[in-house]
Amino acid sequence: MGQTLDDLPLRDDLRGEVPYGAPQLDVPVLLNVNENPFPPSEDVIADIAASVAEAARGLNRYPDREALGLRADLASYLGHALTSAQVWAANGSNEVMLQILQAFGGPGRLALSFAPTYSMYPEYARDSCTTWVVGRRAEDFTLDREHALELIRSHQPSVVLLASPNNPTGTALPLDVVESICDVAPGVVVVDEAYAEFRRSGTPSALTLLPRYPRLIVTRTMSKAFAFAGGRLGYLAADAAIVDALRIVRLPYHLSALTQAVARAALRHADGLLARVDELRRRRDETVAWLRECGLRVADTDANFALFGTFDDRHVVWQGLLDRGVLIRETGPDGWLRVSIGSAEEMAAFRNALQEVLAL
Ligand SMILES: *Cc1c(COP(=O)(O)O)cnc(C)c1O
């Protein structure tokens, strides 16, 4: 007889929990996890394959624990005069974020964010035994400065997590709000810029604030704009001392030699991989306009997705789209749905399916 979770000496706070899971379904049109719809080109594939072969020659040895070559490449990609000492990389920005909470959160400490926001944040807090406190975003999903500062003053969080552009709403934070938060936060402030490359023009990056705020951390990922979700590479920019703190908690040799080699190969082709970001941004703006013409509400978005609604029963709409071969995400506040921006064909399929489901 097989044992179940209930039979195990599991941590009390993990009882009843279930693993993270956006459904991974076999559906023709996948618009549910904000991936870039365009696979790498043949020349990128060839360079990646050659880099893997080269790295394979040394696989009897542990990889460079500090990933110095990769961190230097990431620093030069980011610009802003950043150096490798100010950049850190891990297996997806999810791992970067967990390391931040391992180093700066933990028992007796508190992490704070503002909902609706990325559904993984409370899980990192739970896994690192960090108390989780969540404030509210305004009706239009912006962050009210006074509410944010008040909550930070009263809770004194060790870690403040701010996604900008925010998932699942797409909302970017004005830099003066980030500055105000950095001015009062007693611990580290993390601005999660997973979708930074999709910002509308005129929306600044928090990278510009790093020289003035030594406890500010800006996280990025190669999963979205870079079209490299399968490669699992996330990174951050911060003061070199913050990077040193993360080096204490990271697992030894956490980034495999293959991951480092493949990510460096992808970075050599940054221009090509990012070439279609502008096309996705245009299609994002067109999708938002179209949804509004249909009489729906759509949150202003600087990311490669749009949150739209509202529906009395969003599950019925989600299921109706799925029945027509289009998978989107049932997430965010009740009544809203999120659609990732895909290729022209995928978005046409989405529009057709939605028209049928809503009988527009
Ligand atoms: C997708 C996403 C990430 C990226 O996760 P990876 O682990 O780098 O793939 C990080 N933060 C937010 C808010 C996201 O939506």
Side-chain angles (χ1 to χ4, degrees), residues 91-94 118 121 163 167 192 194-195 221 223-224 232-234:
N91 297 283
S93 54
N94 273 281
Y118 192 36
Y121 295 156
N167 180 6
D192 179 352
Y195 300 95
T221 180
S223 295
K224 309 287 165 55
R232 306 306 301 130
L233 203 290

Side-chain angles (χ1 to χ4, degrees), residues 127-206:
D127 295 347
S128 61
C129 302
T130 309
T131 302
W132 176 243
V133 171
V134 68
R136 288 269 128 223
R137 285 173 174 264
E139 177 75 4
D140 62 356
F141 305 126
T142 58
L143 195 53
D144 178 77
R145 187 195 316 253
E146 287 320 310
H147 167 67
L149 298 186
E150 172 54 34
L151 218 60
I152 291 168
R153 285 198 190 94
S154 60
H155 288 282
Q156 295 292 305
S158 300
V159 181
V160 177
L161 294 170
L162 305 168
S164 178
N166 183 44
N167 180 6
T169 65
T171 323
L173 284 176
L175 284 196
D176 60 312
V177 172
V178 178
E179 290 177 73
S180 298
I181 288 173
C182 289
D183 286 334
V184 301
V188 298
V189 175
V190 184
V191 180
D192 179 352
E193 292 194 345
Y195 300 95
E197 290 90 345
F198 295 106
R199 307 189 309 272
R200 289 173 291 182
S201 53
T203 306
S205 163

